[in-house]
Amino acid sequence: MELTKSTTAFLACHWENDIAGADGAFAPFFRAEIERRGVIGVARRLLDGARAAGVQVVYTRVAFQEGHRDLVANIPLLGIVAQQGSLLDGTPATAILDELTPGPGDLIVTNPKVGAFAASDLDERLRAAGIDTVVLFGVATNITIENTGRAAGDLGYRVVVVEDACAAASPEAHEATIASFGLLGEVATADEVLAAL
C-alpha cells in the first residue's frame, strides 16, 4: 500500500461520547465491542501517526440542534435518537472522547445524518484541500463507516477502511461489512496504513 500524504485525509468517524463513550446513549449497542476490540487505542495510534506525518485529520460527528428540529426520523436508527433525546449539539454527548481529542489543524465536520457526506460540507472541504484518498475508522463499521465509505467511493475518492480501528454492535456485523467492502474500496490494518505514510 502507498499513500500520498498531501492528498490523503484520515476520517475519524463518530468518536463521540453518546456513541462510543462508556456512558453514552448508544453504549448498550457499541461499547462492549469497542472495548473487546481495543479500537480506541488503535484509533489514537492512527491519529498520532497522521499528525506526525502531516496528514489531514478530519473528525466527523453526528449531532442535532435543540429539540432535534433538524432530525428526519426516516430510518429506525434516527428514530431511536429522537426517542432518547440523544446526540444534541453543544452538549458533552456530542463531544469527541477525551482519549481522542482533536488537535490543532484537525477539522471537525458535523451533520445530522448517518453518513459523514450527507447534509455536510465534507466533500467541499476535502476537495478544497486537494484530498483524493480517505482513510476511514470509527463506530459503527456497518453503519457510519460503510455509509461514508460507499458515498466516498461514489464521489470518486479512493477509500481505505482500517479494519482494526472500527467496531460494530457485534463481531458478525463488523465482519459482514469488512467482507463486502473489498469490492468497494480497500481494507487494511492500522500498521499497514501507518507504514504506507
Side-chain angles (χ1 to χ4, degrees):
M1 173 180 286
E2 294 183 4
L3 293 171
T4 302
K5 297 175 186 179
S6 61
T7 61
T8 298
F10 279 38
L11 270 59
C13 300
H14 292 191
W15 292 108
E16 303 164 69
N17 288 322
D18 247 1
I19 294 175
D23 300 316
F26 286 88
F29 293 95
F30 303 126
R31 188 63 188 198
E33 278 298 293
I34 288 170
E35 292 179 2
R36 186 187 72 80
R37 291 180 52 77
V39 293
I40 293 174
V42 179
R44 186 168 42 240
R45 280 200 305 121
L46 284 168
L47 293 166
D48 290 346
R51 293 181 188 118
V55 171
Q56 181 65 63
V57 169
V58 181
Y59 286 83
T60 70
R61 298 184 319 133
V62 58
F64 301 94
Q65 298 303 310
E66 185 178 345
H68 289 86
R69 61 183 180 270
D70 54 342
L71 189 154
V72 179
N74 61 316
I75 61 174
L77 185 61
L78 294 180
I80 293 171
V81 171
Q83 290 171 356
Q84 293 178 333
S86 58
L87 291 167
L88 282 173
D89 204 6
T91 69
T94 53
I96 303 299
L97 299 178
D98 288 343
E99 302 97 318
L100 303 176
T101 301
D106 294 349
L107 301 177
I108 300 175
V109 174
T110 302
N111 69 310
K113 301 291 182 184
V114 171
F117 287 96
S120 80
D121 62 352
L122 177 58
D123 184 39
E124 292 84 355
R125 293 174 83 172
L126 293 177
R127 292 188 193 282
I131 301 300
D132 63 18
T133 301
V134 291
V135 176
L136 305 178
F137 53 100
V139 182
T141 317
N142 61 323
I143 302 172
T144 299
I145 298 301
E146 183 169 342
N147 186 304
T148 301
R150 287 176 181 268
D154 285 344
L155 289 167
Y157 293 94
R158 175 187 175 197
V159 182
V160 180
V161 171
V162 187
E163 187 277 333
D164 54 346
C166 297
S170 69
E172 294 79 13
H174 171 83
E175 290 300 332
T177 291
I178 296 304
S180 65
F181 205 83
L183 296 174
L184 303 170
E186 300 168 57
V187 176
T189 66
D191 287 344
E192 289 169 338
V193 167
L194 292 172
L197 296 179

